[in-house]
Amino acid sequence: MNLMDWTLLRAFHATATTGSLSAAARQLRLTQPTLSRQIALLESRLGIVLFQRSKKRLVLSAEGQALLPHASAMAAHAEEFALAATGHGADTQAPITLSVTQGYAAYLMPAMIAAWQAEWPDLRLTLLAQDTLSDLHRREADLALRHAPPAEAGLVGDRLPDRRIHFYASAGWVARHGHPRRLSDIPMDQIIGMDDPDAFAAYMTERGHVLSKGHHRLVTINCMANWEMARLGLGVVPMLDDIALRFPEMQPLMPDTTRLSAPLWIVAHRQVYASARVARLRALLLAAFSDLDDPKAQGAA
């Protein structure tokens, strides 16, 4: 074998661990035909069959199962090598990927990025907008803005002040339904959901808020879609004040009695946490959220 064989072994490992060619191709950012050729070439060089193929799925052969732990160990070492190399890099002009929620990506990050470019004109940023946790061990992102602490081994982070949340509705919705005095006054079918109603009700009960019985009439898995429907008067949504306050036409419901909050962390792998470009982006994020909490800075903006 030669030094290029890691490319083939990586193709085998990704396909075996994801369970499909399409998922592995997305993970490796390859076309599916290219990935298929790499696996076929590896099988030819090894003289064995790694996968039993059918029309619906790939199944590891006995030989593939025996080799997978070795490929996994190599993949782990390769990830550690890449993380260590990034951590020792001093180039602030290298590309950097920041993972944020969809709501922050749409409503907060554009203004922040515009301000950052004034002092970091060479910033090369990829914004990964998703409401699932990015895999920082596999370098899906260099840095992540999360509503969860860095609980996985190898991850570290900066705790930001908790972010305030209120329920919001449009002026039109309030005109039709009035101002509720408590959350239980809002029919469940008027709350636009991102979860099943039982899980949402349990979450709110844990925080001391009782909801009405019933079911969501509208449900999405995208907070921006929820917000835009609420702006059209289709219902009520819980929303981060960081986002909602940018829409003065939206009204907070029960602002003095319904206090919710979400933790916020800047998270990175410990190997890249202090690298020059990650440290610089961390500093910009810390300053940006400090400005969000500073009424004087808000007034100046």
Side-chain angles (χ1 to χ4, degrees):
M1 292 206 182
N2 58 47
L3 293 177
M4 295 298 292
D5 286 333
W6 168 239
T7 299
L8 307 183
L9 292 172
R10 185 181 65 165
F12 162 64
H13 178 262
T15 304
T17 53
T18 61
S20 74
L21 284 169
S22 58
R26 287 194 298 271
Q27 178 179 304
L28 299 178
R29 299 181 181 179
L30 298 173
T31 65
Q32 195 165 316
T34 297
L35 181 62
S36 296
R37 287 194 294 271
Q38 289 179 351
I39 292 173
L41 179 57
L42 179 61
E43 289 178 322
S44 175
R45 289 187 180 182
L46 295 174
I48 59 175
V49 174
L50 296 169
F51 295 96
Q52 301 294 339
R53 293 162 174 81
S54 69
K55 291 183 178 180
K56 294 185 177 180
R57 59 175 184 162
L58 293 177
V59 178
L60 272 174
S61 67
E63 293 85 354
Q65 291 176 357
L67 290 175
L68 180 57
H70 302 286
S72 296
M74 293 180 69
H77 286 303
E79 289 164 10
E80 286 295 319
F81 179 87
L83 287 166
T86 301
H88 286 92
D91 184 7
T92 59
Q93 297 182 18
I96 187 166
T97 299
L98 172 64
S99 173
V100 299
T101 64
Q102 294 174 342
Y104 275 164
Y107 299 121
L108 261 67
M109 297 310 302
M112 289 185 182
I113 293 169
W116 296 345
Q117 287 186 332
E119 57 183 285
W120 191 355
D122 296 325
L123 172 64
R124 297 169 60 193
L125 178 69
T126 296
L127 199 60
L128 183 62
Q130 58 184 33
D131 289 331
T132 56
L133 296 184
S134 52
D135 191 335
L136 300 180
H137 289 84
R138 293 191 174 183
R139 297 292 309 284
E140 189 172 280
D142 300 293
L143 200 63
L145 197 62
R146 293 180 172 178
H147 292 301
E152 298 175 64
L155 301 186
V156 293
D158 303 285
R159 178 73 183 262
L160 293 165
D162 289 358
R163 315 318 297 170
R164 295 182 301 275
I165 299 173
H166 284 96
F167 281 75
Y168 284 86
S170 70
W173 188 93
V174 172
R176 293 191 302 274
H177 298 272
H179 278 283
R181 292 181 298 171
R182 58 185 71 86
L183 280 180
S184 57
D185 292 339
I186 304 174
M188 182 66 88
D189 67 3
Q190 290 297 310
I191 298 177
I192 303 172
M194 287 190 68
D195 203 343
D196 69 82
D198 293 335
F200 180 63
Y203 172 87
M204 295 300 297
T205 300
E206 290 174 0
R207 285 148 183 81
H209 300 288
V210 178
L211 297 177
S212 64
K213 302 295 183 182
H215 297 278
H216 297 308
R217 181 170 48 88
L218 299 171
V219 178
T220 79
I221 57 171
N222 184 294
C223 73
M224 293 178 292
N226 282 26
W227 184 242
E228 294 304 319
M229 285 193 286
R231 291 182 66 201
L232 291 174
L234 300 181
V236 174
V237 292
M239 178 54 70
L240 291 158
D241 287 358
D242 290 334
I243 293 172
L245 293 177
R246 284 161 167 70
F247 298 85
E249 73 276 14
M250 297 296 285
Q251 301 184 16
L253 305 179
M254 306 147 294
D256 298 326
T257 59
T258 307
R259 295 184 179 89
L260 297 170
S261 63
L264 191 64
W265 290 80
I266 302 172
V267 182
H269 194 281
R270 58 179 174 79
Q271 295 276 24
V272 305
Y273 184 72
S275 66
R277 60 198 175 92
V278 170
R280 188 168 184 181
L281 187 54
R282 280 172 45 221
L284 289 172
L285 281 166
L286 287 166
F289 278 92
S290 177
D291 286 345
L292 283 181
D293 295 325
D294 183 352
K296 293 181 180 179
Q298 287 292 303

